[in-house]
Amino acid sequence: MVLSGCSLQDFGSAFGNFGWPSNGISLQAHKMYDLWIGSVIAALVVGIFVWGLIFWCIIRYRKRGDELPVQTRFNMPMEVLYTVTPILVVAVLFYYTAIVQTDVDKLSKNPDQVVEVVAFKWQWQFNYRDGIGEDANTVASTVGSADVIPLLVLPTGEKIRFEETSKDVIHSFWVPELLFKRDVFPGNVRNKFEVTLDREGRYVGRCAELCGTYHAFMQFELVVVSPAKFDQYLAARKNGATTQEGMAAIGFTGQQSYAVTTEPLNTRRQANSWNQHDAVAAGK
Ligand SMILES: [Cu+2]
């Protein structure tokens, strides 16, 4: 592959990405993608070699008569070879996994943006912060409701730090396109992670930890825009604009200023969602 100048991305997409999601939108997601494709290629190389040996043995040493073949035991070089080889394979896979994992978990000293994610039963609040840690100040905030999906607007190409905290139970912050989720804990735990986004667009986010009756309400939308538009958005928010007014300020007007990837769940009981057929809802 090195000789043909072919990238892991090209190779992976030729084989349906070997089952791995190929729609990652962050540098971290791309590294995980490369790790997966590389691991599958390594597994295939080992697999083809082993299948080759199996078929060679089947054909070369098939039964030719009633005479028993030479009974050899403890071929020392062989024993060593098939002890050392798997250890080597595991060591190499472990090495690359550790590197990618460390990278995905890496926190920079000076992230470009800091977002405090506050989860509660059953919504999200996103606080744009002026620094890292609990002592920093919130300069703009978006909170979701049963009727309006909260939008989390963020720029491409910048190091974005998330600091998570929960008001009540354990929730989990998940954007499928980040190929990443992290639990949000109540109490003193402040889970942190960073991403650098590289594709503009709008992506649905959800709570990925069953947190109670209305867990399914906990949806949000990640809106990834250019750094210039993001600065404009944040400036508008700092001047008192609402999330929707801020969105309008960067060109997302009308319906576009609300979530487009998902919609609020209907909280009203309908005839067909009423699970007791003979009962009549109060007030009917
Ligand atoms: Cu939740």
Side-chain angles (χ1 to χ4, degrees), residues 27 31 38 75 124 154 161 165 178 187 193 234 251 278:
L27 300 187
K31 283 178 182 159
N75 182 325
W124 299 96
L154 287 171
R161 171 179 296 202
T165 172
L178 293 179
F193 66 95
L234 197 60
D278 305 328

Coordinates of all heavy atoms in Angstrom, one line a residue, residues 27 31 38 75 124 154 161 165 178 187 193 234 251 278:
L27 N -10.8 15.0 13.7 CA -9.5 14.4 13.5 C -9.4 13.1 14.4 O -8.8 12.1 13.9 CB -8.4 15.4 14.0 CG -8.4 16.7 13.2 CD1 -7.2 17.5 13.7 CD2 -8.4 16.5 11.7
K31 N -8.6 9.1 13.1 CA -7.5 8.3 13.7 C -8.1 6.9 14.1 O -7.5 5.9 13.9 CB -6.9 8.9 14.9 CG -5.9 10.0 14.4 CD -5.3 10.7 15.6 CE -4.4 11.8 15.0 NZ -4.1 12.9 16.0
G38 N -6.4 -0.5 9.6 CA -5.1 -1.1 9.7 C -5.1 -2.4 10.4 O -4.5 -3.4 10.0
N75 N 9.2 -30.0 18.0 CA 10.1 -29.3 17.1 C 10.4 -27.9 17.7 O 9.5 -27.0 17.6 CB 9.5 -29.2 15.7 CG 10.5 -28.6 14.7 OD1 11.2 -27.7 15.1 ND2 10.4 -29.0 13.5
W124 N -30.5 19.2 27.9 CA -29.1 19.6 27.9 C -28.9 21.1 28.0 O -29.8 21.8 27.5 CB -28.4 19.2 26.6 CG -28.4 17.7 26.3 CD1 -29.3 17.0 25.5 CD2 -27.4 16.7 26.7 NE1 -29.0 15.7 25.5 CE2 -27.8 15.5 26.2 CE3 -26.3 16.8 27.5 CZ2 -27.1 14.3 26.4 CZ3 -25.6 15.7 27.7 CH2 -26.0 14.4 27.2
L154 N -20.5 25.1 16.8 CA -19.0 25.0 17.1 C -18.3 25.2 15.7 O -18.8 24.9 14.7 CB -18.7 23.7 17.7 CG -19.0 23.5 19.2 CD1 -18.9 22.1 19.7 CD2 -18.3 24.5 20.1
R161 N -12.7 21.9 23.8 CA -12.8 21.1 25.0 C -14.2 21.1 25.5 O -14.9 22.1 25.6 CB -11.9 21.7 26.1 CG -12.1 20.9 27.4 CD -11.2 21.4 28.5 NE -9.8 21.2 28.2 CZ -8.9 21.1 29.1 NH1 -9.2 21.2 30.4 NH2 -7.6 20.9 28.8
T165 N -20.8 17.9 33.2 CA -21.3 17.7 34.5 C -22.8 17.5 34.5 O -23.5 17.9 33.6 CB -21.0 19.0 35.4 OG1 -21.6 18.9 36.6 CG2 -21.5 20.3 34.7
L178 N -19.1 11.8 15.8 CA -17.8 12.0 16.5 C -17.2 10.6 16.8 O -16.1 10.5 17.2 CB -18.0 12.7 17.8 CG -18.4 14.2 17.7 CD1 -18.5 14.8 19.2 CD2 -17.4 15.0 17.0
G187 N -22.2 15.1 40.8 CA -21.2 15.3 41.8 C -20.0 16.1 41.4 O -20.1 16.9 40.5
F193 N -13.1 16.0 27.5 CA -12.4 15.5 26.3 C -12.4 16.6 25.3 O -13.0 17.6 25.4 CB -13.2 14.3 25.8 CG -14.6 14.6 25.3 CD1 -14.8 14.8 23.9 CD2 -15.7 14.6 26.1 CE1 -16.1 15.1 23.4 CE2 -17.0 14.9 25.6 CZ -17.2 15.1 24.3
L234 N -21.0 33.7 18.3 CA -20.7 33.9 19.7 C -20.8 35.3 20.1 O -21.3 35.7 21.2 CB -19.3 33.3 20.0 CG -19.1 33.1 21.5 CD1 -20.1 32.1 22.1 CD2 -17.6 32.6 21.8
G251 N -26.7 33.3 9.0 CA -27.3 32.8 7.8 C -28.3 31.7 7.9 O -28.9 31.3 6.9
D278 N -59.3 0.2 26.5 CA -60.7 0.5 27.0 C -60.8 1.8 27.8 O -61.9 2.3 28.0 CB -61.2 -0.7 27.8 CG -61.1 -2.0 27.0 OD1 -61.3 -1.9 25.8 OD2 -60.9 -3.0 27.6

